[in-house]
């Protein structure tokens, strides 16, 4: 018998029960099948054990780009500080990198833009039931982490955003597998244009193997932490803490 990943997502009610059209990659893992067909509860670790975390997300061609890449969640942080950065074209904006690192950094946008870049055309899947294909460009997160030097006890990265959503600060977190994944970038460009405010200017995380809510927009701080307990209320992100979404939203 063969399990498709979609079958697993259905079975796990991952990401709040959302079904994402997508990859029907076959998972052939005897241990996994045995566990599932014994009827044991799907727990947080199992989906991760089943999925090849290093695999690349599918990429698309220029011809497949969505005509419009919609904006969702916060469309403009609109805080006084953010408005000032917009007025200054982000010239005095810095990405703060800290927490469990040897060399905390404050990186200007022009430095992020001049680092080695990666561009990729990928599909964004939101749990609210829409998808869009866009071209994203920016430095790989891995390069920034190597420059900052992670301490041995660092296990997760927390992303602090500039916006409040429903009056609460938006934040997210990923583990180091996703952080060093080659398609994980800090995007400052969408469809060959400077990232619009609606999509997270000046930079937003692209973590292509996960659902839309993990892709933090308006990122202003990245902190290496030892535990998800060090993030928000302890479940690792805004939606995880307030709405019970899964922390690992693999697709
Ligand atoms: N800072 C911040 N990041 C965020 C959100 C948000 O409201 N604030 N919404 C999330 C959700 S649910 C989705 S689907 C995507 C939407 O990205 P887009 O606006 O580029 O379409 O951003 C994610 N990242
Ligand atoms: Mo979303």
């Amino acid at each position: 018998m063969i399990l498709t990943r979609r079958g697993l997502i259905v079975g796990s009610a991952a990401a709040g029960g959302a079904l994402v059209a997508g990859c029907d990659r076959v998972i052939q893992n005897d241990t996994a099948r045995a566990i599932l067909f014994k009827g044991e509860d799907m727990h947080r670790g199992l989906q991760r054990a089943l999925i090849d975390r290093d695999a690349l997300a599918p990429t698309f061609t220029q011809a497949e780009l969505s005509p419009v890449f919609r904006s969702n969640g916060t469309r403009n942080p609109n805080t006084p500080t953010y408005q000032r950065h917009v007025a200054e074209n982000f010239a005095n904006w810095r990405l703060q990198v800290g927490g469990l690192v040897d060399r905390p950094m404050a990186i200007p946008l022009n430095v992020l833009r001049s680092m080695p870049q990666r561009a990729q055309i990928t599909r964004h899947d939101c749990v609210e039931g829409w998808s869009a294909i866009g071209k994203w460009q920016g430095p790989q997160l891995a390069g920034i982490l190597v420059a900052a030097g992670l301490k041995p006890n660092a296990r997760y990265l927390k992303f602090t955003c500039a916006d409040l959503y429903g009056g609460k600060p938006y934040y997210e977190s990923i583990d180091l597998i996703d952080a060093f994944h080659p398609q994980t970038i800090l995007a400052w460009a969408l469809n060959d244009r400077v990232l619009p405010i609606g999509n997270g200017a000046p930079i937003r995380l692209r973590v292509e193997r996960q659902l839309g809510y993990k892709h933090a927009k308006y990122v202003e701080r990245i902190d290496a932490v030892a535990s998800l307990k060090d993030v928000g209320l302890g479940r690792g992100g805004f939606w995880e803490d307030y709405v019970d979404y899964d922390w690992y939203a693999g697709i």
Side-chain angles (χ1 to χ4, degrees):
M1 187 187 286
I2 284 171
L3 288 174
T4 64
R5 182 191 292 174
R6 185 189 296 208
L8 288 176
I9 290 174
V10 172
S12 73
L19 299 187
V20 205
C23 155
D24 289 324
R25 203 155 53 81
V26 169
I27 294 169
Q28 293 171 297
N29 177 320
D30 289 332
T31 315
R33 275 201 300 276
I35 293 169
L36 284 177
F37 287 97
K38 264 196 289 177
E40 292 185 9
D41 280 347
M42 187 85 177
H43 58 78
R44 192 175 281 179
L46 182 56
Q47 185 192 11
R48 296 186 49 192
L50 288 168
I51 292 174
D52 175 4
R53 303 274 321 272
D54 297 330
L56 296 173
T59 52
F60 299 83
T61 64
Q62 199 83 22
E64 293 170 292
L65 287 175
S66 299
V68 175
F69 199 102
R70 62 173 281 185
S71 164
N72 200 43
T74 300
R75 295 193 164 89
N76 187 333
N78 258 327
T79 64
T81 306
Y82 188 81
Q83 285 166 340
R84 178 169 52 79
H85 285 312
V86 170
E88 296 168 350
N89 215 1
F90 297 100
N92 296 307
W93 175 94
R94 299 288 182 271
L95 172 66
Q96 306 289 334
V97 181
L100 298 172
V101 298
D102 294 327
R103 293 171 292 277
M105 300 187 298
I107 313 176
L109 189 54
N110 60 350
V111 172
L112 292 172
R113 287 175 175 166
S114 57
M115 293 174 67
Q117 302 286 301
R118 181 185 163 92
Q120 58 207 21
I121 300 179
T122 53
R123 195 189 60 219
H124 178 105
D125 296 311
C126 171
V127 294
E128 291 166 24
W130 60 274
S131 298
I133 294 176
K135 178 178 178 184
W136 303 96
Q137 186 188 315
Q140 286 173 315
L141 182 54
I144 292 158
L145 298 177
V146 169
L150 292 176
K151 291 189 186 294
N153 53 339
R155 292 179 64 84
Y156 302 94
L157 298 180
K158 175 189 177 185
F159 297 83
T160 303
C161 306
D163 59 315
L164 302 176
Y165 189 70
K168 297 192 175 71
Y170 199 97
Y171 52 93
E172 255 305 337
S173 62
I174 60 175
D175 64 18
L176 296 187
I177 302 176
D178 272 325
F180 283 94
H181 187 284
Q183 289 171 319
T184 298
I185 63 175
L186 295 179
W188 57 267
L190 169 59
N191 295 341
D192 295 315
R193 296 215 166 104
V194 167
L195 186 64
I197 290 173
N199 302 102
I203 57 158
R204 68 99 51 82
L205 176 67
R206 294 301 307 172
V207 50
E208 303 291 356
R209 295 293 309 281
Q210 295 208 50
L211 290 170
Y213 63 90
K214 301 294 290 189
H215 299 235
K217 307 195 284 188
Y218 318 109
V219 175
E220 56 181 21
R221 273 202 75 85
I222 302 175
D223 287 286
V225 298
S227 162
L228 294 183
K229 293 194 197 82
D230 304 324
V231 178
L233 303 181
R235 302 199 58 210
F238 175 93
W239 292 103
E240 294 90 324
D241 279 337
Y242 297 111
V243 193
D244 210 26
Y245 283 15
D246 280 349
W247 172 77
Y248 184 68
I251 48 177

